[in-house]
Amino acid sequence: MAIIDNRRFITELEKTGDVVRVGKEVDWDCEAGAIVRRLCETEGPAALFENIRDYPGHRILGAPLATFRRAAVAMGLPVDTPVREICWEFERRLKSPINPTIVANAPCQENLLLGDAVDLTLFPAPMVHDGDGGRYIASWHAIITKDPETNEYNWGMYRQMIHDEKHLGGLMLPGSGGGRHRAKWEARGQPMPFATVIGADPCSMMAACTPLPPEIPTTEAQLTGGLLGQPVELVGAKTVDLEVPAHAEIVIEGYLVPDALVEEGPFGEFTGYRSSPRVPRGLFRVTAITWRNNPILTMSNMGIPQDDSHVVTAALGARAVIKDRLERMGVPIVDVYVPPEGVSNLVIVSTRKPYEHVADNIVYAMSASPYLTIYGLVTIVVDEDVDPYDWKQVVHAIASKCHPLKGVRTFPSIGNPLTPSLSLEERKWGRGGKMLLDCLWPLDWDPETEKPVKSSFKAIYPPALQEQVLGNWQEYGFE
Amino acid sequence: MTRGYDTFCDTPMDLKEGEVTLALRQLNPDDRRKKYVTRYVRAFISPSPEAYEDLLWLRYQRGRLHPEPWSVRIVEELGTLPTRRVAEVPLVRT
């Protein structure tokens, strides 16, 4: 049964014990955030807050997809599906897009605020972290925009905070899909229509935070269909020429004001730090808000692993896109993993290495895509006998196979304002770099005389002896 | 009742004592749902917490709270947000 909305998702999570309903009154002002942060750091269940101070009738779902278990449920897989199999299934579905369907009436439009009646403070937007620049009503959501030249849609997950009753501020980086649309609208001097979709079905959210580059001819709506196994239903927005997921909980419509910036941020981000400064960023004027009865606002509390972005954006979305890119470029890879602990900054690639500098090629291939600039700040390239999903094997490869001088290579590149290790000036101007940890044996080492012999059960004993030992294992007295 | 506000700055040294225009967030409005809403105002501010009737807390750019509050007297609500034009902002990446 496809999970077409958040309510069905919550029902499914209850069956597996992966959500807790919180009936005690909880304050939207940091308390809900603190609870969800602790749940993230302990890989606890999602939290459905049903009694929010100042906001009777409203609910908040915290950390909806912050574990692989919940990602598996969202995709209709068994809850205990191994991580690598979830990753492979996401990749398979990425390549099986399904077109959306348009409906005339939708649950997301059961209620409507228009024009002067618009008031963002009527919704329990959480103060996610103490000291954030505002109440981030959009921390796990999709901002839908349309290319003014091609009419192509983009769904992207770019944070938005409340400035006042009718205005939002947000970070929309130039290299992102939304940022590219914004540049085209601004060049025309026209306001960019947007729709911020909060609490759509979990697969829509997965699609929104997957960095789809142009070489993958799939829209986020088609990817949602692929993930769901059926078309996602869309409905026309009320005040802007955009279509939005019909089963979303809350939809905020409006326009990005051209040539107007207002100070936005800071915000505790997926890197685990509040690193980007409060600076002038885009101003979104709201023209309408629609919502379901008793709406459920979704909240991701980004920070130290592991939160929703570490699981979905990094391990599922970015991993699949990076692997696709490397395969398209003919790089002889075996597999790719973007572990949650690496907060999108760390990518592990295993390769068969048929030529020198294949590890450098991997870094170049990722860096060349403006859609992947934030990934692979650190790239670890390992031989095919190292499992990139097994952190113990990867650490062992770094410690034993990465030459301390020749194996560590650095490359100048576009920087990201959210990268904590960059200086304030570097963050402001977008100056950054990449580091490669090349954990491959040199090709010119003679396999018989120079290449070290791996001292593992599988590698150092004859197969016949391995079979004998395994066959007698219980007889020896071991479990 | 003393009202509380906060504003963001690189350092308190950047703030000018006396009459200024600045963006504030209201911290204890009558309607609690309006907490953290931005108001752009003309006001008098002072590093002395007793100089004016309301408190003005300062936050650094990454959200850390400056331990000593200033004080503020709002004399006019400007009724807009403090916008800047794209060409006025020398940041290319944010």
Side-chain angles (χ1 to χ4, degrees), chain A residues 78-131:
Chain A
V79 68
D80 54 357
T81 302
V83 170
R84 78 183 65 220
E85 290 178 25
I86 300 172
C87 292
W88 294 341
E89 183 61 17
F90 187 97
E91 181 186 341
R92 191 187 68 74
R93 296 187 191 183
L94 173 66
K95 294 172 180 170
S96 309
I98 296 175
N99 287 332
T101 56
I102 308 298
V103 297
N105 300 299
C108 70
Q109 295 175 343
E110 287 172 339
N111 302 276
L112 170 67
L113 280 177
L114 275 174
D116 286 345
V118 163
D119 186 351
L120 292 162
T121 67
L122 297 178
F123 296 84
M127 178 57 85
V128 179
H129 314 96
D130 186 28

Side-chain angles (χ1 to χ4, degrees), chain A residues 323-385:
Chain A
K323 183 161 182 277
D324 178 86
R325 180 169 184 81
L326 295 174
E327 287 173 340
R328 282 173 194 272
M329 299 191 77
V331 183
I333 59 165
V334 177
D335 210 339
V336 174
Y337 189 45
V338 184
E341 298 85 351
V343 297
S344 293
N345 289 350
L346 188 143
V347 175
I348 304 164
V349 182
S350 59
T351 176
R352 296 191 179 87
K353 200 201 177 191
Y355 54 86
E356 278 293 349
H357 292 299
V358 65
D360 305 74
N361 271 11
I362 288 168
V363 174
Y364 296 143
M366 288 193 292
S367 302
S369 171
Y371 288 80
L372 298 175
T373 52
I374 71 166
Y375 305 101
L377 193 74
V378 179
T379 299
I380 302 168
V381 180
V382 296
D383 279 311
E384 62 181 316
D385 64 330

Side-chain angles (χ1 to χ4, degrees), chain B residues 34-69:
Chain B
K34 307 290 184 187
K35 187 176 180 184
Y36 301 117
V37 163
T38 296
R39 297 164 68 187
Y40 188 37
V41 300
R42 186 166 64 84
F44 289 92
I45 62 174
S46 167
S48 165
E50 289 86 27
Y52 302 111
E53 54 270 35
D54 293 330
L55 288 178
L56 177 64
W57 294 90
L58 310 181
R59 284 192 181 275
Y60 297 101
Q61 283 209 359
R62 272 154 215 81
R64 288 205 171 97
L65 189 67
H66 181 67
E68 303 297 330

